[in-house]
Amino acid sequence: MNEEAQATNEELRATNEELQVSQEMLHSANSSLAQILDMLPASVVVIKGRELLVDMINDSNLKYWNKTRDEVIGRPFLEILPDLAEQPFAGQLRRVMDTHEVIDVKESPVLFTSADGSIRETYVDYTYQPLYDQYGNCTSVLVMSFEITDQVLSRRMLERYANELAAANDQLSVTNNKLAKSEARFKYLIQEAPVAIGILNGRNLVIENANSKLLEVWGKNESVIGLTLPAALPELSNQPFQQILENVFDTGEAFFANEIRAMLEHNGELKEYYFNVVYQPVGGSDQQIADILIVAVDVTQQVSSRKAVEQSEQHFRRLADLVPAKISNALPTGEVTFFNRHWLDFAGMSFEDMRDFGYHQMMHPDEVPAFRAGLATAAVNGTPHVSEMRFKNTEGEYIWHLNIASPILDEDGKITMWVGSTTDIQQIKEEEQRKNDFIGMVSHELKTPLTSLGGYLQLLRRRFAKSDDQSSLQILEQSLKQTAKMTAMINGFLNVAHLESGRIPINKTIFSISTLFDEVANEADHLNVTHKLFFAPISEEVLADHDKIGQVLSNLVSNAMKYSEPGTAINVSANVEGNYLTIAVADQGMGISDQDLNHVFERFYRVETGINISGFGIGLYLCAEIIKRHQGKIWAESEIGKGSTFYFSLPMS
Ligand code: ADP
């Protein structure tokens, strides 16, 4: 070998050695590179050539791809991960090889399809960096990626939460606003409620809250808030409230009371109050009773007005017991609610016995129907019913009473109750009887000499009629007229006396009305008629007391003459309607006012006319009594200055 060759050989050997060294170095460099790569916190893969073969890969990347080293080294990247063909990576890798640019992508989604077909969504930050060979050609790409799936997902979740939170916050603030408003309103309502409301805290009853009304009834101001109840209201010390409140604490049960009385100090003066109260225990967080809620309705006014009513009722009852009359009260239904002491003493019964059956049993049976009918009319008209009636006493005697049942009406005219006052008139009745007997007796005694006087006067008149002494004849005529008047008056008294002692018997016979008319016409003739009297023709007959009805008719005719100008007409007529025969006497006289018309049938009632017309006011009373005993009706119509018509009707059968 020549030197050159030897030298070359040497060089070659040296080069070989160098090569070997550098190969060894390369190997060790490669393995240390792999080690370094594995240690990197990033995924690293080197993709080589246009086929995109996996040249190098670290553990982290294998894990990310979910592959083993053998499955990937030397194989085309898209074969290993066919999923990624649809994604931009292959194109980007080739672009880096062509253009040598560096691609840096943040938060790129990478989707893998798992064996079970489910999609694994991952996120990575990655860079594609061109790698050059010794000739400066770019044949490989260094892919360095960081999986940030967790961060992205957590951030996204965070963002979602944040959004939700924001939305919730928005809502919350709206709700809060509303809540604040409604709480304010609630507080205001409680504060200004017309009901006293407050909260006492703890067993020593610290006033935590008291609304305006509570402070008002306590007679205090806000300064009591924070004080204990006994300190704020020392006047309660001898009243039951503290004990009741303690009980609520002990039992945990609410306390309710109506119209509980409290004496409360207002400006140094004790005032009486009545409340409907509730003491409601309110639990704290540890289930223990922490507070008592007080709700109290001030019912002082109602209680005092009720007490006033009760008092006035007591007053009324005491008064009712003091008056000498018998007093009763009844509901509109007729149910009796009160009999005074006099009633109970008179009946010898308890209130209950008298109410349930006694009252009506005590009435004289003859008077019950009229009383019931009268009461019914009074109820309809809203007017008092006045009647004289007998009630049986404890000895079984019927005692005369003046009974007045007065309906009490409300503003609408509705009956709210009946007040009955029943006065013993037995003595008056007896007095009256004695008076009637006396009048009867006197009248009777007067009648006999008067009848004789009349007879003598008629005898004298006959004698003088034959003589020429005209003036004496006239005097005699006048005397006869006055005697007739006096007889009529005495007869009236006698009738009243008889009537009132029930001694007017009614003797009914059938007679014709026209006969009655003739008799009355004759009688009037006899009395020197001063008016134009007309009797309408009538063919009816009636069953009645002939004399008494004749008396009624002549009374009405003589009244018609008495109260109208001489020469005016008086019409007497009869008319049948249904089962009733009605007779009318119409004059053209002075007339009667409506007010007087209501009274002319009463005993001794006379209208104040200013003109002196003689009479006692018993004529119409007698007429009415006679008609009443015939179960008939009597009434009048009249107009002042125009005349009056008096009617009476009798049942035909
Ligand atoms: P007297 O006629 O005796 O007063 P009456 O009982 O007959 O008593 O009448 C009562 C009152 O009725 C009379 O006072 C009179 O004022 C009034 N009166 C009766 N009839 C008539 C009549 N036809 N016209 C006007 N007033 C009459």
Side-chain angles (χ1 to χ4, degrees), residues 349-368:
M349 286 186 227
S350 70
F351 168 75
E352 286 75 18
D353 286 348
M354 195 165 163
R355 175 194 60 194
D356 295 341
F357 59 86
Y359 183 63
H360 285 98
Q361 277 188 0
M362 286 162 66
M363 286 181 194
H364 195 287
D366 288 358
E367 283 137 23
V368 173

Side-chain angles (χ1 to χ4, degrees), residues 555-556 559-564 587 589-592 600 602 605-609 613-621 638 644 646:
N555 221 320
L556 295 182
N559 267 354
M561 291 199 278
K562 222 159 99 176
Y563 298 104
S564 61
D587 65 50
M590 59 174 64
I592 309 165
V600 288
E602 289 167 14
Y605 192 87
R606 303 206 71 215
V607 177
E608 288 294 328
T609 52
I613 303 170
S614 68
F616 288 111
I618 53 168
L620 289 179
Y621 169 69
S638 187
S644 317
F646 280 80

Side-chain angles (χ1 to χ4, degrees), residues 176-399:
N176 264 342
N177 245 335
K178 276 190 198 163
L179 203 70
K181 260 192 217 159
S182 90
E183 204 175 270
R185 198 178 317 138
F186 184 65
K187 273 192 182 151
Y188 176 78
L189 282 181
I190 289 196
Q191 190 54 33
E192 298 307 316
V195 171
I197 300 171
I199 291 176
L200 299 179
N201 177 253
R203 273 187 175 273
N204 41 7
L205 309 173
V206 175
I207 302 165
E208 194 175 289
N209 247 311
N211 75 346
S212 322
K213 185 72 192 175
L214 187 58
L215 291 175
E216 182 193 316
V217 296
W218 279 350
K220 300 285 175 297
N221 58 30
E222 302 233 322
S223 63
V224 298
I225 309 263
L227 298 182
T228 64
L229 192 68
L233 305 168
E235 68 268 29
L236 293 184
S237 66
N238 51 2
Q239 299 182 49
F241 301 99
Q242 194 145 343
Q243 184 57 50
I244 294 169
L245 288 161
E246 275 169 20
N247 251 10
V248 173
F249 263 112
D250 290 342
T251 60
E253 273 168 25
F255 170 82
F256 299 88
N258 280 346
E259 295 186 6
I260 193 166
R261 181 172 172 267
M263 297 301 294
L264 294 164
E265 201 182 295
H266 282 235
N267 299 324
E269 210 182 297
L270 274 184
K271 277 177 98 179
E272 186 179 49
Y273 276 91
Y274 287 88
F275 297 104
N276 291 353
V277 296
V278 183
Y279 296 156
Q280 177 71 47
V282 182
S285 51
D286 51 358
Q287 300 300 315
Q288 292 280 312
I289 298 163
D291 300 315
I292 292 179
L293 172 72
I294 298 180
V295 180
V297 182
D298 179 3
V299 290
T300 312
Q301 256 189 341
Q302 288 95 303
V303 172
S304 36
S305 50
R306 205 197 53 230
K307 286 203 163 178
V309 171
E310 281 168 7
Q311 231 169 28
S312 101
E313 189 163 325
Q314 256 182 2
H315 197 70
F316 157 76
R317 287 185 180 213
R318 237 176 277 146
L319 206 72
D321 281 344
L322 283 175
V323 295
K326 299 173 180 68
I327 305 284
S328 60
N329 274 16
L331 299 177
T333 54
E335 189 195 322
V336 179
T337 52
F338 173 71
F339 286 114
N340 73 345
R341 181 92 337 254
H342 285 286
W343 251 130
L344 301 176
D345 289 348
F346 178 81
M349 286 186 227
S350 70
F351 168 75
E352 286 75 18
D353 286 348
M354 195 165 163
R355 175 194 60 194
D356 295 341
F357 59 86
Y359 183 63
H360 285 98
Q361 277 188 0
M362 286 162 66
M363 286 181 194
H364 195 287
D366 288 358
E367 283 137 23
V368 173
F371 173 69
R372 290 225 161 108
L375 217 56
T377 315
V380 171
N381 300 337
T383 50
H385 172 62
V386 183
S387 55
E388 286 183 4
M389 52 198 298
R390 283 162 288 177
F391 288 94
K392 195 159 54 178
N393 67 11
T394 45
E395 264 99 68
E397 297 163 333
Y398 280 106
I399 306 294

Side-chain angles (χ1 to χ4, degrees), residues 462-477:
R462 237 175 282 144
R463 280 194 193 170
F464 273 92
K466 291 175 195 154
S467 77
D468 292 334
D469 193 347
Q470 284 302 311
S471 69
S472 297
L473 191 65
Q474 231 173 355
I475 292 169
L476 273 174
E477 290 287 356

